[in-house]
Amino acid sequence: MTRPLADHPGMPPAAPLQMQIQDFATAPACRSDCHEKRATPWRIAVFIPALIATACLMYGMYSWLAGMGMTGLEWALLMMIGATFVWVTLSVSTVGVAIAGILAREAADARAPTDVAPIDVALLVPVYNEVPWDVFGNAAAMLDDLAARKTPHRYTLFILSDTRDEMIAAQEQQAFERLRKTAPYPVHYRRRASNTDKKVGNLVDWITGWGAAYEGMLVLDADSLMTGRAIDRLASELSIAPDTGLIQTFPMLIGAETLFARLQQFSNIAYGWLLAEGLALWSRSEGNYWGHNAIIRTRAFAESAGLPHLTSGGRDDLILSHDFVEAGLLRRAGWRVRFLPRVTGSFEETPGTLIDYTLRDRRWCRGNLQHLRLLATRGLHPVSRFHLFHGAVSYLLSPAWFLLLVIWALLGKDAETNVVRYFNEANPFFPDWPPAMSHIDSAVFLFIMYAMLLTPKFTAAAMIAATPAATRIFGGHGAFLTAFVTEVLLSVAYAPVMMIQQTKAVLRAIFTRSEPWAPQKRDAQHYPLITLAKFHWIETFLGLILTLGLAAGLISWWLLPIAASLLLAVPLSALSALNLAKRAPRSLAMNSPYTLREPAIVTRARSAREQIKAQLGINPPAE
């Protein structure tokens, strides 16, 4: 429904575009060839080795377990091992594909296209109770960086507010008035009366009100930051490819100051690029969408990606992790969905503490598990269906790992400490203790699993360490290797804690109807001890049980690292908030290229934020 212009004084004239709600039970006609044959060899190279490696492991485990006949529990254990291991091997084979692609000089997508026809692009920034000077400071920096380029395209910025806090809304309005007067491109601001359907509804409101005037829409998050070069590159790629519906960049993490944020930032920059290269090679035109830092063809999205509510059992649910679904629907209609990891200059921030990360993860978990209800959607490309399934499995793996941990603990370290009884028909009154899955077998399995989990990290790190120019941007060989070892050790320490928290998130998603929705905390803070204890009491309790079992000789000592991590969950969580940027020497600060040499766009954004704060009369807190 078109709204009168008077209702939106900060917006341009209406240009309504109908948003077509999709029917998941009926596949639409595909506008072009929905399958890309070039991707098949790369997909074979990813999935076949992973399946073979998993089959080999399962055969080896079966040989151990089948010594005295297989029981139901042993079959369940074997299936669970296979279900968890296959996803680990997929990461390894993705890295292998990336290396093969680099060596084969597969199309790099590194150069910007030429002979580009100009298009109109809307830069969309949906916000909900965010810090206004951060949002508008980033926006000002991006527009100024765009203006410094010779671009054929026409850009317009829209701040799409769903803010409920009246004081924040007033600050948004003030910041908008300032930016509109100084920006080199048109800037508009719209605040919805009610935040119906959250971010999905926010974007639909813009599309149905003004979307027809723009060929492309670049969707940004409140903490997104992109260089003018990156924005212009996406617009040009969309312009020259009429069959492309969406192009996703690989956002790099910035603004990391705490230990936990630097762990994520270092991992993102040091290892993430290699996995991204492999994903881009085998996904091809069936890429995914992460909800931000991506450009979308507006009409394609309106025609193909309108989301219905999920209704079943008397429930009416909004699709939460909408981005994965929208990418699948675009591809279902015949539009290419591309991933360009080599488009540099795409940035986002990350939670600063373990608690903040976990709170955000709960919302993602609920949305990703929802994807299981969408796997039967008619017409989806198999790769799009895999993306949906993988998103759900990434969270279901945590309870699977937890169940494996419980089984290992129950099996003990030998026959005498095994608390799981096995009976057979010939001897129903006395248990047969399984010779398999002893402490030695558990150690072998854990070694294989950890080796596979760490292979992508060691591979990427080895490639960087072997390249002098690459290590220099990390501060030299010594600083890079110190950061690498620190990241690996702390990631191993935090993994069991995250396993329990994600298991809790899965249970919350299954047994509760909703998850509180609040803006992500951008500024890390130290939580009080009582808050940490309440948040991590389950991990601490489980760690205590495992520790007592180890002390009594009832549990295999190979579980010691997991027991220690869980027992120390509270101090580990407190440690996650340590400000390395201020309190750690440079050699131990886990620096990465963006902490040692801040990108110009980040410096520009920080300056713009301070100017807006001054204009709003906001004084920084005393140190």
Side-chain angles (χ1 to χ4, degrees):
M1 177 175 163
T2 303
R3 299 157 183 78
L5 178 60
D7 290 350
H8 301 284
M11 296 293 281
L17 183 62
Q18 183 181 0
M19 192 80 182
Q20 298 181 16
I21 303 302
Q22 299 301 299
D23 182 1
F24 291 162
T26 304
C30 191
R31 60 179 297 277
S32 64
D33 182 9
C34 290
H35 299 275
E36 187 176 2
K37 295 179 181 179
R38 283 195 309 154
T40 301
W42 293 114
R43 289 170 187 168
I44 291 173
V46 167
F47 287 94
I48 297 303
L51 293 174
I52 291 175
T54 303
C56 290
L57 176 69
M58 292 183 68
Y59 179 76
M61 299 300 294
Y62 172 80
S63 299
W64 287 334
L65 292 167
M68 298 179 65
M70 292 287 287
T71 67
L73 180 61
E74 287 172 327
W75 277 114
L77 180 63
L78 184 63
M79 293 301 104
M80 196 177 307
I81 288 173
T84 53
F85 188 74
V86 68
W87 300 100
V88 179
T89 58
L90 276 174
S91 295
V92 176
S93 56
T94 296
V95 167
V97 162
I99 295 173
I102 293 172
L103 294 177
R105 298 187 180 276
E106 182 70 16
D109 292 317
R111 293 184 180 179
T114 57
D115 300 325
V116 174
I119 61 173
D120 290 288
V121 178
L123 311 179
L124 307 182
V125 186
V127 295
Y128 176 86
N129 288 347
E130 299 286 350
V131 179
W133 47 90
D134 287 350
V135 172
F136 285 87
N138 283 7
M142 288 187 283
L143 293 180
D144 288 343
D145 207 45
L146 264 175
R149 296 183 57 79
K150 293 181 179 179
T151 171
H153 308 295
R154 297 171 295 273
Y155 296 99
T156 304
L157 175 74
F158 291 85
I159 304 294
L160 306 177
S161 176
D162 265 356
T163 293
R164 303 295 94 200
D165 187 297
E166 293 298 332
M167 184 180 72
I168 295 177
Q171 292 175 336
E172 288 176 354
Q173 185 67 43
Q174 287 181 267
F176 160 65
E177 295 295 343
R178 175 192 179 277
L179 181 59
R180 182 170 62 173
K181 294 176 182 178
T182 59
Y185 292 97
V187 177
H188 301 285
Y189 172 82
R190 186 271 289 128
R191 183 185 176 208
R192 286 203 296 170
S194 62
N195 63 325
T196 304
D197 286 351
K198 301 180 181 178
K199 183 178 178 180
V200 172
N202 199 352
L203 292 176
V204 168
D205 181 85
W206 178 84
I207 291 170
T208 56
W210 300 273
Y214 302 92
E215 177 71 15
M217 56 180 189
L218 182 69
V219 182
L220 301 159
D221 264 356
D223 63 349
S224 293
L225 191 61
M226 294 184 69
T227 63
R229 179 180 179 275
I231 294 172
D232 214 42
R233 170 69 187 281
L234 290 183
S236 296
E237 291 284 352
L238 194 72
S239 174
I240 66 169
D243 60 344
T244 293
L246 185 149
I247 305 173
Q248 175 69 62
T249 63
F250 179 46
M252 307 303 285
L253 299 182
I254 55 171
E257 295 188 344
T258 64
L259 172 66
F260 194 78
R262 292 251 169 135
L263 281 174
Q264 296 175 80
Q265 185 183 56
F266 183 86
S267 178
N268 169 260
I269 298 172
Y271 325 132
W273 67 273
L274 194 55
L275 288 169
E277 287 282 340
L279 177 60
L281 276 174
W282 70 257
S283 64
R284 293 292 188 169
S285 295
E286 289 76 43
N288 212 350
Y289 173 39
W290 300 330
H292 57 89
N293 293 37
I295 194 168
I296 304 171
R297 193 173 301 279
T298 312
R299 290 187 182 275
F301 191 84
E303 295 170 359
S304 311
L307 298 180
H309 281 206
L310 298 179
T311 56
S312 62
R315 296 177 56 174
D316 184 88
D317 295 327
L318 174 69
I319 295 177
L320 299 176
S321 291
H322 54 90
D323 37 16
F324 282 37
V325 185
E326 290 159 347
L329 293 177
L330 280 167
R331 190 64 186 117
R332 181 176 79 154
W335 297 98
R336 298 178 67 197
V337 178
R338 300 168 58 196
F339 177 39
L340 298 185
R342 296 195 185 186
V343 175
T344 58
S346 177
F347 305 104
E348 65 174 330
E349 296 179 6
T350 184
T353 70
L354 178 59
I355 287 181
D356 293 329
Y357 182 92
T358 300
L359 293 176
R360 185 187 70 173
D361 210 42
R362 286 178 183 174
R363 298 194 298 272
W364 287 3
C365 173
R366 185 177 295 273
N368 282 22
L369 292 183
Q370 216 176 36
H371 293 166
L372 294 175
R373 298 165 63 183
L374 302 175
L375 292 178
T377 299
R378 295 290 182 86
L380 284 181
H381 190 283
V383 174
S384 299
R385 220 178 292 273
F386 173 80
H387 288 316
L388 293 174
F389 184 59
H390 184 263
V393 167
S394 64
Y395 288 95
L396 292 175
L397 282 175
S398 286
W401 280 112
F402 177 68
L403 191 53
L404 278 176
L405 173 64
V406 171
I407 293 174
W408 279 329
L410 293 178
L411 288 176
K413 69 173 187 176
D414 51 35
E416 294 181 356
T417 58
N418 188 318
V419 298
V420 180
R421 299 299 196 265
Y422 291 80
F423 296 88
N424 58 52
E425 296 179 0
N427 191 15
F429 300 106
F430 297 95
D432 288 328
W433 299 100
M437 287 307 291
S438 66
H439 62 293
I440 297 178
D441 304 323
S442 298
V444 171
F445 176 71
L446 284 172
F447 174 80
I448 294 173
M449 189 65 76
Y450 272 116
M452 297 294 283
L453 283 169
L454 295 176
T455 292
K457 295 187 177 187
F458 277 97
T459 302
M463 294 175 71
I464 293 173
T467 310
T471 52
R472 278 197 297 271
I473 65 175
F474 281 88
H477 273 91
F480 173 73
L481 292 176
T482 299
F484 169 69
V485 172
T486 303
E487 192 280 332
V488 169
L489 292 177
L490 287 177
S491 293
V492 170
Y494 281 113
V497 180
M498 289 304 305
M499 173 188 68
I500 300 302
Q501 286 295 335
Q502 288 189 339
T503 300
K504 288 171 59 180
V506 169
L507 295 176
R508 288 170 65 99
I510 294 173
F511 295 109
T512 63
R513 288 292 304 271
S514 63
E515 194 72 47
W517 188 49
Q520 178 181 310
K521 289 185 178 180
R522 313 293 179 191
D523 299 321
Q525 62 176 346
H526 289 275
Y527 286 92
L529 180 60
I530 185 65
T531 301
L532 295 171
K534 288 181 179 179
F535 198 85
H536 297 291
W537 73 269
I538 293 181
E539 297 97 298
T540 305
F541 174 74
L542 292 173
L544 179 62
I545 296 297
L546 286 177
T547 302
L548 292 175
L550 289 167
L554 301 176
I555 296 176
S556 171
W557 63 272
W558 289 103
L559 297 179
L560 176 61
I562 297 174
S565 173
L566 295 177
L567 187 63
L568 299 175
V570 169
L572 281 172
S573 189
L575 183 66
S576 72
L578 178 65
N579 193 314
L580 294 186
K582 296 180 179 178
R583 300 182 181 179
R586 180 165 176 166
S587 60
L588 299 176
M590 289 200 66
N591 280 308
S592 60
Y594 298 143
T595 58
L596 293 172
R597 299 168 190 84
E598 185 176 75
I601 188 70
V602 178
T603 305
R604 177 175 280 174
R606 180 178 293 107
S607 175
R609 291 174 184 177
E610 293 303 318
Q611 292 175 20
I612 295 172
K613 286 173 68 176
Q615 189 234 4
L616 295 177
I618 306 296
N619 296 317
E623 293 291 338

